[in-house]
Amino acid sequence: MENFINHLKQVCPFTLEQLEQVLVLVKMVDYAKNETILREGEISEYFYFIEKGLVRSYTVDEMGKEHVIQFGPENWIVSDRYSTLCHQPAKFTIETIEESKIIPISLKIQSKIHEINPEYMKGMNILLHNHVRHLQDRINLLLSASAKTRYQEFIKLYPNLLQRVPQWMIASYLGITPESLSRVRKDIANNG
């Protein structure tokens, strides 16, 4: 749980004793490649910390087309926040892209971590605000930026995913066709 421990330390300072108390609360779950963690329509009980591996969050439209909302590589937290926080049916499916080691964190566990270290929720609040900022940027890009700009921003946000994620998933995330993504990549390769 090395990544999780580092995550906790980045959120706020933890003593060794506090870390030991937190680690007793959580367990790591192994998932196979292409395994569903949460299905659209289910009630989510957890936020998922990605210790190792890669997941994606997506939705499917009325035509059966998938739309990737988010990728979750190591050290990211992925969830359907609406479902987890409001106890409503999930709007997204969360699925592994690679074999993954994931730490599910319930609201109850978050509350216990806060009891162990009251600074924890302040740090998590900062992470939440950062996540909302990224979502706002993404919405703005989808509404107003060219496919090339969206792809360049994808590379900035997910610098290590180009070889780990199938091209059709990247295209879905960008809101373009795989053919358009090929043209964008070729244009960047030729013109920079």
Side-chain angles (χ1 to χ4, degrees), residues 73 76 151-164:
W76 282 53
Y151 182 67
Q152 290 168 326
E153 290 301 314
F154 171 84
I155 293 168
K156 286 180 192 171
L157 182 60
Y158 297 113
N160 302 316
L161 293 193
L162 291 178
Q163 303 305 316
R164 295 173 67 184

Side-chain angles (χ1 to χ4, degrees), residues 23-172:
L23 294 179
V24 170
L25 300 173
V26 298
K27 68 175 189 165
M28 193 156 31
V29 180
D30 292 329
Y31 287 92
K33 180 179 180 177
N34 299 324
E35 189 172 348
T36 301
I37 300 167
L38 175 69
R39 281 185 177 75
E40 183 176 350
E42 295 176 345
I43 305 292
S44 175
E45 300 293 329
Y46 302 101
F47 299 100
Y48 301 97
F49 178 84
I50 314 306
E51 176 71 22
K52 182 177 186 294
L54 179 62
V55 304
R56 69 182 174 127
S57 156
Y58 67 93
T59 189
V60 179
D61 66 22
E62 305 96 29
M63 305 299 285
K65 183 179 176 186
E66 290 183 12
H67 301 276
V68 175
I69 306 301
Q70 177 184 22
F71 293 105
E74 291 83 3
N75 300 307
W76 282 53
I77 297 172
V78 178
S79 69
D80 185 313
R81 291 181 194 282
Y82 172 72
S83 181
T84 306
L85 295 172
C86 301
H87 207 66
Q88 296 295 313
K91 295 181 183 239
F92 307 119
T93 296
I94 300 173
E95 180 180 86
T96 60
I97 297 173
E98 302 172 347
E99 284 185 16
S100 299
K101 295 183 178 299
I102 297 173
I103 300 170
I105 303 168
S106 66
L107 291 174
K108 186 176 178 181
I109 289 172
Q110 267 200 339
S111 182
K112 287 182 180 180
I113 295 171
H114 176 69
E115 288 173 18
I116 292 167
N117 186 338
E119 295 298 311
Y120 173 74
M121 290 312 279
K122 289 179 189 174
M124 288 303 291
N125 208 18
I126 291 168
L127 288 180
L128 176 60
H129 290 310
N130 192 39
H131 178 68
V132 170
R133 182 179 55 83
H134 280 293
L135 289 175
Q136 288 176 326
D137 289 346
R138 177 145 190 258
I139 291 167
N140 188 46
L141 286 169
L142 286 170
L143 293 174
S144 62
S146 69
K148 181 178 179 180
T149 300
R150 284 185 255 165
Y151 182 67
Q152 290 168 326
E153 290 301 314
F154 171 84
I155 293 168
K156 286 180 192 171
L157 182 60
Y158 297 113
N160 302 316
L161 293 193
L162 291 178
Q163 303 305 316
R164 295 173 67 184
V165 177
Q167 295 302 298
W168 70 267
M169 286 186 194
I170 294 173
S172 172

